[in-house]
Structures are given as structure tokens and as C-alpha cells.
Amino acid sequence: MSRKDERQASAAAGSRTAPGWLRSPWIAVFCLVAALIALTQVPLLLGLPAWALSLPLEPLVAALVLLALPPSRARWLVWPATALLTLGWLVLAMERMAFLLLGRPLKIWLDLQLIQPALELIDGSMTPGIAVLVALLLLLVPPAVFLGFFLLCRGLARAQAPRLAIAGTALALTGMVAAPQAPQLTVNFLYDAVAFQVDRTLRVAEERPLFQALLADDPLADLSSDPLPGLAGADVLLIFVESYGEAALSDPRYAEAIRATLGEMERDLTASGLSQASGWLVSPTVGGQSWLAHASLTSGLWIDSQDRWDLLVASERRTLTQAFTASGYDTALIMPAIVRAWPEAEFFGFDRTYFHDDMGYAGPPYAWVTMPDQFTLAVLDREVLAAGEPEVRERPPVFAQVALISSHAPWTPIPPVVEDWSAIRDGALFDQWSDPPVPPQELWLDAAAVRAAYLDALEYVLRTLTSWLQKPWERPRLVLIVGDHEAGAVVSRSEPARAGRQAERARPTTATLAGSTVPLHVVSDRPELVLRLLQAGLAEGLLPPARQSDSLALPMSDFRRLFLDAFADPQSDGSPSS
């Protein structure tokens, strides 16, 4: 054979079609089913709950339909199927992320307003380059999902699978549904996720008139000249601690350390002559949106959504601040995390407000945390309480609401407690501890490390409070320390709740909000003030009573009434008439 003939024979052999078994629809079907089965195991390999990436049923049904129809008909379904599957997948993914990170259901219409705070958290917790990369990846997810579904649907529409292949696919999918590794496939529907979000949005609209009626029915509409005579002119400081929930005292990963810290704190404060009491409150939020908890506690209404918040701040509802103003108090708000104009502050009626730019902090931010809590408390002493100043005994009594934020994610870096408070000055000394031992973007790749960092941050806040409370008090004082909400599910739960839709959709109750139960601690140098709150239901000491029933937890919306009732009576023996 000549060389020319050899080349022609070789070319002919290369042009032969692949064996028939390679062109069989069985191969494509087998590869598709194998890929889907492998996908359901990804969460288990990553150590995530099985529901975190469990496969919804609609893509499998769409695959069967597209395989069953002739290509001439199936191609008309490619675009509609792609659009519907993309929409459903994105909603389901956001719903599962809400449960994984926040531990609560997604409220898509209202939660869209959280995009900006989320981006700020990313920006404050990562280097600029990584933050930009993460933002770009998030922006690319929707078009990438759309493109993936389009290519899949188009490929399936062009396939010509015989009936036997379709039956085999159905049998394989039925086995997947029944598999013990993925029982959630029987209930995870994209349609269900989308329908649930539509239902929640409609319910918000239906509840608006009812909530507006509650806003108008305000027992404080006609305030007396002194609604709080039982305080006898003592300063009242309401201090919210970020992400301080029941898990800190009950979860085995944190409870031993936090209970030991509280026990040490109680001993130190008792030695300083301070009385204490504790109890449980129920916050309307989990994992974020602290302002909803602040508003619920001070307004006497259950503010569990941004829509209710917007209605509240546009109303004439009275809060605890106005009650203190009517009693002759000077009122102040300290919010170190507010970094831009916040016109809503006017609704709460504080005489003075201190936001980030008003606090004179010369140190660096600690990732997202704008300044350490110890500096915030130093500003409270210096600017509001006039601690150490000659006029401290001449000034009017103070009501101050303070937000402590060092226990906010990403929980790194954490400074030590500065023993000499006079050395804090403008906060420049905090620069020496501002470099995290592990960058947040690396820390958050390890769930166990994240939980350890959360514990360190919370212990720092409690030890800072202990040091601050032990400083000399020049006027009588009542300090209320409240957790704003439970931390996100990534640290507060061993396995986040499954993303089902059987949760309570009406007004939340204590039972449905067990995950957002938070501690309340009361500290005062006047035992008679603490006695009033003990008689209102709190327990002695800094360790809240063991909760064997939800009746021990008071919704934050009931705290305004409880506090006003407790101090409405001027009796000197500390016993409220009610």
C-alpha cells in the first residue's frame, strides 16, 4: 500500500462515527442522573445541613418533559422553563441562606433593604480586593444560573430519548427521592418557595391597617408630668449588647465560659455594693436588624419587619424616651455603628444623639465594628454622664440608650480590656490591636473558628461591662443590659432549622420565637430599684433563671408597660402598687 493510500485509510477511520452505545440517550440520561445524585451529596461533604443544597424537584420534572417531547415541540419550552427555573432557584437559594445565616425565614420584599448593610459588612470585613471580588461574584450568580438552566434545557430539548430511557430516568429519580440521604426532595419545590414569598408579601399588606390601629392606640398619648416617680431621679442606662442571645448561656459550645464570666461578674459587682437581677426577653429578630429590637422594647409594639418600622417612625407613637423626658430627664442616644445621616432618630425624641462621627474616635475600625465597646462606654461617661466633672451632681438625671457592637460579626479582631480608663482618651491606643490574627475572610472558612471568635467577642463585651460598672458612681444609677437578638444560625445553632414553610405566619408568640430569646440584666446601687423589677418577675443575680417554659420570657413589646408600671408608684419601700 502506498503512503497516499495509508493516509486515505487513516482519514476514513477517523471519520467513522462513534460506536452506537456512545450515542445512546442512555449515556446522557445516566450522566445527568449521576450528576444530580452527586449534587445532593455536596452539603454532606462540606459539613452543611442536608437541606442547604438539597435538589428541588422542578428541574427534574422539566428534564423529563423536555426529554419526552419531540424536539420540534420541546424547543418552545426552553425559554419559559429557563426563566421559571431561574426565578425559583434564586428564591429558594436566598431562603436557605436566610435560614443558614440568620436562622429565620426569608421575607424577600422586606429583606431587599438589607442588601446595603450586607455589602457594608462585606466591605468592612475583607480587604478591598476580596470585597470587590465577592460583590462581583454575587452579581454574576443570577446570569450564571440563567445561562446554566438555558444550556441544560436546550440540550434536553434537542435530545431524542426513547421511552425506555424516559422510564429509566423516572425510576432513577424515584430512587433519589426515596433515598435516606435526601428525603427533603419530596418537599422541596421551587413553586412552594416562590408562592410562600408572595403569600408573605400579601400578608404584610393585609396587616398594615391592623398595625396602624395599634399605633394609634397608645396608652402614653397623654403623659403625666412625672410618669416615673419611683426612679427617684436615678440615672437610667439602657445598653443593648449585639448578638447576645440565649444560645450564649445554653449552647454547650459557649455556656460554660459565658456562665463562668457572668458568675465572676456577679461576684465582682456584689463586692462593689451593686444589686443585680436578670430575666429573659423575646426579641422580634434573629441574626440582624437590631433596630427592630430597639424599637420593640421602647415603643411597646411588636416591630418584626422593616415595614412596621417604617410605619412606626412615621407615627406619633410615644416611646420610653418621651416618658423620661416628661419626668425631667436629659435623654441621649449613642449609636457608634451609624455612619451616615439617620433622620429616623428624630422620632425617638432624644435630646442628644452621638453617632460615629460625633464620638471623636481617632483609632481604626475593627473590621465592620467602627470602634471597640470600651471607647463607646468612655464616651458615655465623658459626654453624657459627666463622670468626674464638678457639675455631675448638679445636672438633671440622664436616660441614655447605648448600642455595644464589638460582638457583631465578623468577631475579629478583638482588643483586650484596657484597665486604665483614663488612657483611652481619643481611642488612638486601640490601633495596636487592630490587626486581626486571622483575616475575617480566612476565619470564616472554618465554622469552628468562627464560633470560637464569637465566644471571644462576647466575653470581651461582658468583661468590658464589668470593668465599667466597677468604676465609681457619683449618682444613683439603674443599668439595664439587654441582648438585642440571637446571633446568626452559623454560631447560635448546631444545625440551622430546616427551610420549611410551616412556621407561624400570624403575630409571633414566645413559643414561635424561642430562638430569639435574649438575656436581660439589671444592675443598680439602689436595692429598692432592683426590688421593683424583682417583684415584676425578674430573678436575683446575673444568671437568668433556667427556662423550662416559654412563660418565663417576656416579649420586648411588653417591656415598656412593665417598666412604667414598676416605677409609677413613688412609695419609698420600693413596692409598686400594682
Side-chain angles (χ1 to χ4, degrees), residues 254 257-258 406-407 411-415 437 449-463:
Y254 318 117
I258 295 300
S406 287
S407 48
W411 304 303
T412 185
I414 299 296
V450 171
R451 298 184 184 106
Y454 166 72
L455 176 59
D456 290 343
L458 196 53
E459 285 196 299
Y460 162 76
V461 177
L462 294 177
R463 295 188 186 281

Side-chain angles (χ1 to χ4, degrees), residues 91-418:
V91 171
L92 190 61
M94 288 188 291
E95 180 184 74
R96 289 172 180 170
M97 288 303 295
F99 269 95
L100 187 63
L101 297 179
L102 301 177
R104 64 165 175 81
L106 174 72
K107 296 172 280 190
I108 191 168
W109 181 251
L110 301 175
D111 286 347
L112 289 176
Q113 302 179 59
L114 299 180
I115 293 177
Q116 182 176 350
L119 293 176
E120 291 174 349
L121 177 60
I122 292 173
D123 181 59
S125 303
M126 302 179 180
T127 60
I130 295 179
V132 171
L133 180 61
V134 171
L136 287 176
L137 288 175
L138 292 176
L139 291 175
L140 290 175
V141 165
V145 171
F146 183 88
L147 178 61
F149 274 124
F150 173 75
L151 294 177
L152 176 64
C153 291
R154 188 180 65 175
L156 292 171
R158 290 176 176 177
Q160 297 185 26
R163 294 179 181 178
L164 186 59
I166 297 174
T169 304
L171 182 62
L173 296 178
T174 302
M176 289 176 58
V177 172
Q181 297 92 337
Q184 65 279 358
L185 291 180
T186 59
V187 295
N188 280 336
F189 294 99
L190 297 180
Y191 166 80
D192 195 16
V194 175
F196 181 64
Q197 294 306 318
V198 172
D199 179 68
R200 290 185 67 90
T201 302
L202 293 176
R203 283 179 177 272
V204 168
E206 292 173 359
E207 290 176 357
R208 269 194 159 213
L210 300 177
F211 184 71
Q212 288 172 325
L214 292 175
L215 281 172
D217 183 19
D218 186 2
L220 294 187
D222 298 318
L223 277 172
S224 65
S225 57
D226 185 6
L228 295 166
L231 289 170
D235 292 338
V236 178
L237 308 177
L238 174 59
I239 300 176
F240 286 96
V241 176
E242 174 67 38
S243 299
Y244 181 31
E246 184 180 21
L249 287 87
S250 62
D251 192 312
R253 295 169 297 187
Y254 318 117
E256 183 178 358
I258 295 300
R259 286 181 172 273
T261 300
L262 287 174
E264 181 182 344
M265 184 177 179
E266 181 177 330
R267 290 190 296 271
D268 291 343
L269 298 183
T270 300
S272 299
L274 301 177
S275 301
Q276 309 116 46
S278 295
W280 298 105
L281 296 176
V282 182
S283 170
T285 182
V286 182
Q289 294 180 282
S290 303
W291 56 93
L292 303 183
H294 301 177
S296 295
L297 190 139
T298 58
S299 72
L301 289 175
W302 189 255
I303 311 299
D304 62 345
S305 69
Q306 190 64 32
D307 185 66
R308 287 195 168 196
W309 163 273
D310 292 338
L311 291 173
L312 172 68
V313 297
S315 72
E316 297 182 358
R317 178 86 178 183
R318 301 292 186 92
T319 68
L320 278 177
T321 310
Q322 282 90 0
F324 279 101
T325 299
S327 293
Y329 276 68
D330 177 30
T331 60
L333 174 67
I334 301 180
M335 301 280 283
I338 301 296
V339 296
R340 61 174 61 87
W342 194 47
E344 292 92 338
E346 183 178 350
F347 162 77
F348 293 95
F350 288 95
D351 297 319
R352 292 176 285 163
T353 57
Y354 297 88
F355 301 146
H356 174 269
D357 293 343
D358 308 314
M359 298 175 67
Y361 180 60
Y366 277 49
W368 179 91
V369 176
T370 58
M371 63 191 70
D373 287 345
Q374 191 168 10
F375 183 83
T376 300
L377 293 173
V379 171
L380 171 63
D381 277 343
R382 182 176 64 246
E383 301 295 336
V384 179
L385 299 178
E389 299 296 332
E391 64 271 16
V392 65
R393 296 186 180 278
E394 304 300 325
R395 64 164 173 78
V398 164
F399 168 66
Q401 179 178 317
V402 183
L404 299 184
I405 59 174
S406 287
S407 48
H408 191 290
W411 304 303
T412 185
I414 299 296
V417 179
V418 179

Side-chain angles (χ1 to χ4, degrees), residues 458-514:
L458 196 53
E459 285 196 299
Y460 162 76
V461 177
L462 294 177
R463 295 188 186 281
T464 300
L465 282 168
T466 303
S467 177
W468 175 72
L469 288 168
Q470 288 182 289
K471 296 176 65 180
W473 292 17
E474 297 159 302
R475 290 179 59 111
R477 185 183 300 179
L478 177 67
V479 182
L480 308 170
I481 302 170
V482 186
D484 58 0
H485 53 70
E486 189 66 89
V490 67
V491 298
S492 64
R493 294 181 183 175
S494 56
E495 179 170 334
R498 184 176 172 180
R501 281 161 215 90
Q502 291 78 26
E504 176 66 46
R505 300 184 182 182
R507 180 187 184 277
T509 64
T510 303
T512 62
L513 287 175

